[in-house]
């Protein structure tokens, strides 16, 4: 489909150049320079129009027809124009050359090689720059448009700069050498200024007054600082090299065509090898250094040839001296930087400043963010399509794709579980399932664990994501090794159109729709493909984010799904994530089937209990956000139209990513619809509020939990959870009043526990001990209660009791949403052990903590201190070195180790 039009496009420039230069060989360079520059600047305009306007507002089909009409009109006009060569037709004199100038065969041969090689380097740079820059400015359509736009702008301006009459071969070669020297030095500058770019992007997003347009322009400036200068050199190179390879005594369009063909072949090789081989095997850092080396070699080679060709002491040598020296100097600087500059930090490139630097930060907080303080990078891999990494901290592990967190073993678990559970709960007896997007593998694990599930197929576009599965075996249960699970590496739409199998359940778990290309998985056309792969009565589950999206976008996605599936429901895992279920048949729920999935005897019982708060099957319905009646009300609201031909979601979501104003309160607006339709949908406000209690202390749940408390003040659950949220917000009024009454009646373990922890924080040791002991007796969270008791005992320097309680807390800690790891209290107790406790007990206890929570940087600090106190200086030094992996450099570490080695008391 593309071969014919692109072939004709490739023939246009040589034909135009021949027409404009006529028989005057000296007009080749100015004609080609102007035309190539205008051609590229036209591409800049086309890129800007397509990326910022046409695709979103006109649509892809209409834009293509419009482009075809423009091409046709240009052709008609061209046929009616007079021949610009006029009387010169048939002449072949080279009026711009000195009489008797001999062909520069060596220069021509080198120029032919460089036409391909410099084009190879240009595409190498463009692809590698894009991979780096989207990690920093974000992977939206606008980011890709910006990189391409600035790249083309530099090439167009560079071509226009050299649009002058042809010069003798040595002068043209010197100009090419200088252009390549500029390219090498400009590309190498990235290695020098790279560390400043994330700081600049942080500053852009810290400016709270900036809107989407202002931030986009600011990011364009940052992209320009990286791309523009080397792109200018690239743009200068092609017209100059073409002038060098063309015959010196005749004006022929075929010379331009030959040069253009070589240039294009080099570009193709650069695109293929860089995208599929170099970046994936060497990484963008080394790949860009190869590009600099190619440019530097080209500049130095031509500079040497020119110096040898021009006679010593001649006027021409005097004219070319500065250009040759400049080319050699710039190339040498670029090559030296490429060889000597340290490799850039994968911690810095994986920062995600445009995603995670939005909230106002102090200077200290900004520095901690830049250094990833307290977090270490376990793995980093640049794949074919994306850069994938795994990070670990005290909270757990996180999978990041292009700098953005896409899965985790802690905060995302409820969403990852419900994505698989929700559709199988609505499809009793499901035996075949398909998952789009592997992530951490938890959703695949949930589906594979469903009773009677015979076949689970995973579609994942990036192989590096699958490779990272090994870091999440503790939550995905080595699911990829199961014989019932298979994987295909492909784009979701392609995979579904090729695969003719049918599935009872299909789960779509792509990344956020503001990322380029992801929005194609939210169109009605894609949903039609999905429906064609479902069995009769099959259920489709689509994840939708509620953060950084306006309500109209969410409505538009649900409307697209409802246009294909007549029966739709919306379920929620947290206030920021919902699952939209769609089916050709009414969604019904069999209580016996639910009992096989969740509850005490369910195959997913523990996951449901610990991450969704589902103790019994009936609790599951608390996660229903909108039933059929609620969805019907939602669809009455205005929504953003989004389809394959008019992909508006990709652009609206990208703008809201840049400026989140207007995206607040989406969950609350959906809950308001739920409240108005809950009777028709058979939904319970109390089950709903109970589902919100799983994420303890979540402020987004306060109004609904507090409403349940006011409606049913006799139920301690609401009071305890509302008090916990308010305490997190700095309000202890409810905890000081209502919790005391609950404790006196002795009715709720949660009240005893929360009251005991409040007393611990306030230093009321006797009261804290009594309350926490009572909480244990009443059946409260053992880990949290024991950790609190360890703090009480450590403050009293009762080290034996403190150690026993701390060990009990470590054994009982689950690290789930319902029973979170008690970091605050264990951290307090272990700090006291490290600084004051008996060295042997402290060392043993902290080692036990590290064994269970190796990613918590504080534990390694404690272990270093304990080792120093015990006189194990080298072990302490190793722990201080290990802390560097967490972005923590203890200034007092080396002096403390030195004192330890000298046997001085610490």
């Amino acid at each position: 489909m593309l071969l014919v039009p692109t072939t004709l496009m490739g023939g246009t420039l040589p034909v135009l150049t021949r027409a404009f230069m006529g028989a005057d060989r000296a007009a080749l360079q100015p004609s080609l320079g102007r035309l190539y520059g205008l051609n590229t600047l036209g591409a800049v305009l086309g890129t800007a129009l397509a990326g910022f306007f046409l695709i979103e507002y006109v649509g892809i089909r209409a834009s293509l027809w419009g482009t075809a009409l423009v091409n046709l009109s240009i052709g008609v006009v061209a046929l009616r124009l007079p021949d610009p060569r006029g009387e010169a037709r048939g002449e072949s004199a080279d009026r711009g050359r000195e009489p008797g100038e001999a062909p520069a065969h060596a220069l021509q041969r080198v120029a032919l090689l460089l036409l391909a090689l410099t084009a190879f380097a240009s595409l190498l740079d463009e692809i590698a720059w894009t991979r780096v820059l989207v990690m920093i400015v974000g992977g939206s359509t606008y980011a890709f448009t910006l990189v391409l736009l600035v790249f083309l702008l530099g090439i167009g301006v560079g071509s226009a700069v050299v649009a002058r009459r042809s010069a003798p071969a040595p002068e043209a070669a010197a100009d090419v050498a200088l252009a390549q020297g500029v390219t090498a030095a400009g590309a190498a500058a990235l290695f020098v200024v790279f560390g400043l770019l994330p700081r600049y992007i942080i500053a852009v997003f810290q400016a709270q007054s900036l809107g989407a347009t202002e931030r986009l322009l600011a990011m364009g400036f940052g992209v320009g600082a990286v791309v523009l200068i080397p792109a200018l050199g690239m743009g200068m190179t092609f017209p100059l090299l073409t002038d060098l390879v063309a015959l010196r005594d005749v004006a022929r369009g075929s010379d331009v065509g030959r040069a253009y063909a070589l240039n294009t072949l080099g570009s193709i090789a650069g695109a293929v090898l860089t995208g599929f081989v170099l970046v994936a095997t060497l990484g963008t850092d080394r790949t860009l250094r190869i590009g600099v080396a190619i440019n530097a070699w080209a500049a130095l080679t031509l500079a040497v040839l020119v110096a040898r060709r021009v006679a010593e002491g001649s006027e021409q040598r005097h004219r070319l001296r500065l250009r040759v020296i400049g080319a050699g100097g710039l190339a040498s600087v670029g090559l030296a930087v490429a060889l000597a500059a340290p490799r850039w930090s994968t911690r810095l490139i994986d920062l995600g400043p445009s995603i995670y630097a939005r909230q106002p930060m102090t200077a200290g907080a900004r520095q901690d963010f830049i250094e990833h303080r307290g977090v270490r990078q376990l793995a980093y891999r640049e794949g074919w399509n994306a850069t994938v990494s795994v990070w670990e901290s005290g909270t757990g592990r996180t999978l990041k794709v292009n700098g953005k967190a896409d899965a985790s073993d802690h905060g995302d678990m409820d969403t990852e579980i419900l994505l698989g559970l929700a559709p199988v709960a609505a499809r009793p007896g499901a035996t075949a399932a398909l998952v789009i997007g592997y992530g951490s593998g938890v959703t695949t694990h949930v589906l594979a664990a469903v009773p009677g599930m015979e076949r689970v197929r995973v579609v994942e576009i990036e192989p590096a994501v699958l490779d990272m599965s090994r870091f999440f075996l503790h939550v995905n249960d080595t699911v990829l090794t199961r014989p019932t699970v298979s994987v295909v590496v492909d784009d979701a739409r392609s995979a579904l159109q090729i695969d003719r199998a049918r599935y009872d359940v299909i789960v779509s778990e792509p990344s956020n729709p503001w990322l380029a290309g992801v929005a194609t998985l939210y169109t009605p056309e894609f949903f039609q493909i999905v429906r064609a792969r479902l069995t009769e009565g099959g259920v489709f589950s689509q994840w939708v984010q509620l953060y950084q999206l306006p309500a109209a976008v969410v409505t538009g996605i649900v409307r697209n799904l409802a246009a294909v599936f007549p029966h739709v429901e919306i379920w929620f895992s947290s206030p920021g994530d919902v699952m939209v279920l769609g089916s050709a048949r009414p969604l019904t729920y069999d209580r016996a089937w639910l009992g096989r999935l969740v509850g005490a005897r369910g195959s997913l019982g523990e996951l449901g209990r610990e991450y969704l708060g589902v103790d019994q099957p009936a609790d599951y319905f608390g996660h229903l956000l909108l039933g059929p009646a609620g969805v019907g009300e939602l669809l009455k609201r205005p929504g953003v139209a989004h389809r394959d031909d008019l992909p508006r979601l990709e652009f609206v979501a990208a703008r809201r990513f840049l400026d989140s104003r207007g995206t607040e309160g989406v969950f609350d607006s959906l809950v308001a619809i739920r409240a108005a339709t809950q009777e028709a949908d058979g939904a319970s406000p109390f089950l709903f509020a109970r589902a919100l209690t799983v994420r303890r202390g979540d402020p987004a749940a306060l109004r609904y939990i507090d409403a349940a408390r006011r409606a049913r003040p006799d139920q301690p659950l609401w009071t305890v959870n509302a008090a916990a949220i308010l305490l997190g917000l700095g309000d202890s009024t409810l905890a000081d009043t209502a919790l005391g009454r609950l404790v006196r009646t002795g009715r709720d373990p949660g009240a005893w526990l929360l009251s005991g922890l409040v007393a611990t924080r306030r230093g009321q040791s006797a009261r804290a001990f009594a309350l926490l002991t009572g909480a244990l007796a009443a059946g409260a969270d053992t880990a949290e209660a024991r950790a609190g008791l360890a703090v009480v005992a450590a403050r009293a320097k009762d080290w034996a009791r403190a150690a026993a309680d701390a060990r009990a807390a470590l054994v009982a800690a689950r690290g789930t949403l319902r029973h979170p790891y008690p970091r605050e209290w264990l951290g307090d107790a272990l700090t006291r052990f490290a600084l004051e406790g008996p060295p042997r007990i402290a060392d043993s206890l902290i080692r036990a903590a590290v064994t269970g929570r190796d990613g918590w940087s504080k534990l390694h600090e404690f272990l270093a201190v304990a080792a120093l106190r015990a006189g194990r200086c080298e072990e302490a030094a190793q722990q201080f070195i290990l802390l560097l992996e967490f972005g923590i450099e203890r200034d007092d570490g080396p002096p403390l180790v030195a004192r330890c080695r000298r046997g001085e008391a610490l």
Side-chain angles (χ1 to χ4, degrees):
M1 292 176 65
L2 295 177
L3 187 60
V4 172
T6 53
T7 300
L8 295 173
M9 291 176 193
T12 302
L13 183 64
V15 171
L16 281 174
T17 305
R18 176 68 181 95
F20 274 81
M21 72 178 180
D24 185 359
R25 171 60 182 79
L28 172 61
Q29 185 177 320
S31 298
L32 180 58
R34 282 193 294 269
L35 287 170
Y36 190 55
L38 287 171
N39 183 270
T40 309
L41 292 174
V44 171
L45 179 61
T47 299
L49 283 174
F52 296 121
F53 177 75
L54 288 177
I55 294 177
E56 179 181 1
Y57 295 105
V58 177
I60 295 173
R61 186 178 292 109
S63 297
L64 288 173
W65 278 111
T67 303
L69 183 60
V70 169
N71 281 319
L72 182 63
S73 301
I74 292 172
V76 171
V77 171
L79 289 173
R80 297 180 64 85
L81 288 175
D83 191 336
R85 293 171 291 182
E87 296 177 359
R89 183 183 301 275
E91 298 180 16
S92 60
D94 183 6
R95 304 188 186 101
R97 294 294 176 188
E98 298 176 4
E101 182 185 346
H105 297 299
L107 287 177
Q108 285 178 329
R109 287 194 296 271
V110 171
L112 283 169
L113 173 63
L114 291 183
L115 274 167
L117 201 57
T118 57
F120 174 90
S122 296
L123 263 291
L124 177 151
D125 285 338
E126 198 269 338
I127 292 172
W129 284 334
T130 302
R131 289 292 296 266
V132 172
L133 289 169
V134 297
M135 296 281 289
I136 297 170
V137 302
S140 69
T141 293
Y142 291 141
F144 284 96
T145 300
L146 275 178
V147 176
L148 181 59
L149 190 150
V150 175
F151 179 70
L152 292 173
L153 178 64
I155 289 177
V157 173
S159 300
V161 166
V162 296
R164 61 177 186 272
R165 289 186 71 80
S166 297
E171 293 193 26
D175 289 338
V176 177
L178 184 60
Q180 282 297 293
V182 169
T183 303
L190 174 61
F191 298 101
V192 178
V193 304
F194 177 76
L196 300 176
L197 193 56
R199 294 177 185 273
Y200 171 74
I201 296 300
I202 290 171
V204 169
F205 280 89
Q206 283 293 290
Q208 303 297 316
S209 61
L210 297 183
T213 302
E214 293 90 341
R215 283 179 174 159
L216 191 62
L217 289 172
M219 290 195 301
F221 180 79
V223 170
V226 173
V227 174
L228 193 57
I229 292 176
L232 285 169
M234 296 172 188
M236 295 165 64
T237 299
F238 175 68
L240 292 169
L241 282 175
T242 302
D243 188 44
L244 267 179
V245 301
L247 294 177
R248 318 306 293 175
D249 56 352
V250 65
R252 302 192 310 175
S254 59
D255 291 331
V256 178
R258 178 179 59 165
Y260 201 37
L262 284 170
N263 191 262
T264 303
L265 289 173
S267 299
I268 293 171
V272 173
L273 286 176
T274 303
F276 293 105
V277 179
L278 295 178
V279 169
T281 57
L282 302 178
T284 51
D285 182 287
R286 289 194 180 98
T287 298
L288 284 170
R289 291 172 198 262
I290 291 173
V292 172
I294 291 172
N295 297 133
W297 176 84
L300 292 171
T301 299
L302 286 172
V304 169
L305 287 176
V306 171
R308 288 179 176 178
R309 178 174 173 77
V310 179
E312 191 76 36
S314 67
E315 181 184 348
Q316 190 179 47
R317 188 178 186 88
H318 179 73
R319 287 201 313 268
L320 298 182
R321 182 179 180 183
L322 285 178
R323 275 179 273 181
V324 171
I325 292 175
L330 289 171
S332 298
V333 168
L335 189 59
V337 170
L339 293 174
R343 295 195 65 190
W344 57 47
S345 166
T346 58
R347 290 177 63 87
L348 186 60
I349 196 175
D350 207 15
L351 191 63
S354 63
I355 305 171
Y356 302 112
R358 295 167 177 267
Q359 298 302 317
M361 293 187 288
T362 64
R366 189 178 303 189
Q367 189 61 34
D368 287 347
F369 174 77
I370 289 172
E371 294 174 353
H372 271 297
R373 188 174 177 85
V375 189
R376 69 176 169 185
Q377 193 179 65
L378 296 179
Y380 180 89
R381 180 176 169 189
E382 294 178 273
W384 290 346
N385 304 291
T387 300
V388 185
S389 61
V390 176
W391 293 80
E392 184 177 43
S393 67
T395 56
R397 292 178 175 178
T398 300
L399 176 79
K400 295 179 78 174
V401 178
N402 283 342
K404 182 199 157 300
D406 268 359
S408 72
D409 62 1
H410 48 283
D412 297 309
M413 285 289 289
D414 51 354
T415 298
E416 295 162 359
I417 292 166
L418 192 59
L419 262 167
L421 175 60
V424 295
R427 180 61 168 84
T431 59
L434 182 137
V435 182
I436 298 169
Y438 181 74
S440 62
V442 172
T443 303
T444 304
H445 162 51
V446 167
L447 290 168
V450 169
M453 185 64 69
E454 299 173 359
R455 179 167 53 97
V456 179
R457 191 165 181 81
V458 178
V459 178
E460 173 55 56
I461 194 170
E462 177 49 67
V465 171
L466 299 169
D467 184 53
M468 298 302 171
S469 180
R470 67 185 189 274
F471 294 101
F472 297 92
L473 299 181
H474 56 292
V475 288
N476 66 36
D477 196 29
T478 62
V479 68
L480 290 181
T481 64
R482 296 192 182 192
T484 56
V485 176
S486 61
V487 177
V488 59
V489 177
D490 198 357
D491 169 74
R493 295 181 73 128
S494 170
L496 282 172
Q497 289 172 318
I498 293 172
D499 184 7
R500 310 311 297 177
R502 290 180 176 268
Y503 302 90
D504 300 311
V505 166
I506 295 179
V507 175
S508 183
E509 191 179 2
S511 192
N512 303 64
W514 59 264
L515 290 164
V518 173
T520 61
L521 301 184
Y522 292 88
T523 65
E525 291 86 351
F526 173 68
F527 295 151
Q528 287 283 5
I529 296 171
V530 169
R531 180 169 177 174
R533 295 293 165 266
L534 283 171
T535 58
E536 196 69 28
V539 180
F540 175 55
S541 176
Q542 173 71 62
W543 170 77
V544 179
Q545 68 176 79
L546 297 186
Y547 49 93
Q548 295 177 343
L549 285 182
V553 165
V554 177
T555 303
I557 294 172
V558 176
R559 180 171 287 124
N560 282 351
L561 208 141
V564 176
F565 296 97
H567 303 281
V568 176
E569 292 178 353
I570 302 177
W571 294 70
F572 81 97
S573 57
S574 73
D577 301 275
V578 297
M579 289 84 240
V580 186
L581 301 186
S583 180
R585 291 182 177 179
L587 296 165
T588 57
Y589 298 90
D590 181 84
R591 299 282 174 162
W593 173 246
L594 276 177
R596 297 181 64 190
L597 296 175
V598 293
R601 298 183 179 180
S603 60
L604 304 171
E606 184 176 356
L607 290 176
R609 181 172 57 255
E610 292 299 316
Y611 292 99
L612 300 175
V614 177
D615 292 329
Q616 53 189 350
D619 296 335
Y620 171 73
F621 293 98
H623 288 274
L624 175 64
L625 187 57
L626 295 179
V631 171
E633 286 299 313
L634 174 65
L635 295 180
K636 294 176 183 178
R637 300 187 176 188
V640 173
H642 174 65
R643 57 182 188 271
D644 280 357
D645 181 50
L646 195 68
R648 293 201 62 205
L649 170 60
E650 188 160 343
F651 298 91
V652 175
R655 286 196 294 275
R656 295 287 66 81
F657 162 72
L658 292 171
D659 178 10
S660 297
R661 285 174 290 191
T663 63
E664 304 86 357
V666 176
F667 179 72
D668 293 333
S669 69
L670 295 177
V671 177
I673 296 175
R674 184 188 196 279
T677 59
Q678 62 187 10
E679 186 174 344
D681 285 327
S684 164
F686 299 103
L687 286 178
F688 171 71
R690 190 181 187 283
L692 287 169
T693 64
V694 180
R695 286 178 171 262
R696 292 197 293 179
D698 186 356
L702 178 60
R703 68 166 67 179
Y704 309 110
I705 293 173
D706 197 51
R709 180 182 70 86
R710 295 178 187 279
R712 294 185 177 177
D714 58 319
Q715 294 186 355
L717 174 68
W718 316 123
T719 301
V720 171
N721 280 278
I725 296 171
L726 289 169
L727 279 170
L729 297 173
D731 183 354
S732 62
T733 305
L734 186 62
D736 290 336
T737 56
L739 284 184
R741 290 195 298 270
L742 291 176
V743 168
R744 285 192 295 273
T745 59
R747 294 165 51 200
D748 186 73
W752 282 80
L753 177 60
L754 187 57
S755 297
L757 295 176
V758 170
T760 304
R761 183 174 287 121
R762 291 173 176 173
Q764 300 166 345
S765 298
R767 175 175 168 79
F769 178 79
L771 288 168
L772 293 173
T773 304
L776 281 174
D781 183 350
T782 302
E784 206 159 17
R786 286 290 186 183
L789 286 169
V791 172
V792 173
R795 287 174 181 171
K797 294 185 170 46
D798 186 348
W799 302 115
R801 185 160 59 87
D805 284 326
R807 288 185 188 279
L810 291 171
V811 171
R814 303 185 194 180
T816 64
L817 288 181
R818 191 168 189 173
H819 297 98
Y821 190 86
R823 279 199 306 154
E824 178 185 355
W825 308 110
L826 278 175
D828 189 329
L830 293 175
T831 298
R832 296 174 188 277
F833 267 102
L835 296 175
E836 307 173 72
R840 183 173 297 178
I841 297 177
D843 184 70
S844 173
L845 181 60
I846 295 169
R847 286 181 184 278
V850 169
T851 301
R853 208 75 173 180
D854 187 50
W856 185 10
S857 61
K858 271 290 181 187
L859 297 179
H860 295 284
E861 291 191 71
F862 297 154
L863 203 55
V865 174
L868 287 171
R869 292 182 64 214
R872 296 194 304 275
C873 312
E874 301 311 314
E875 183 180 336
Q878 289 300 316
Q879 290 300 319
F880 283 127
I881 293 171
L882 181 61
L883 284 172
L884 296 175
E885 296 180 10
F886 291 91
I888 298 172
E889 185 174 1
R890 289 283 300 261
D891 293 334
D892 59 347
L896 287 172
V897 173
R899 288 175 58 188
C900 177
R901 287 168 176 165
R902 291 194 298 267
E904 297 178 11
L906 301 176

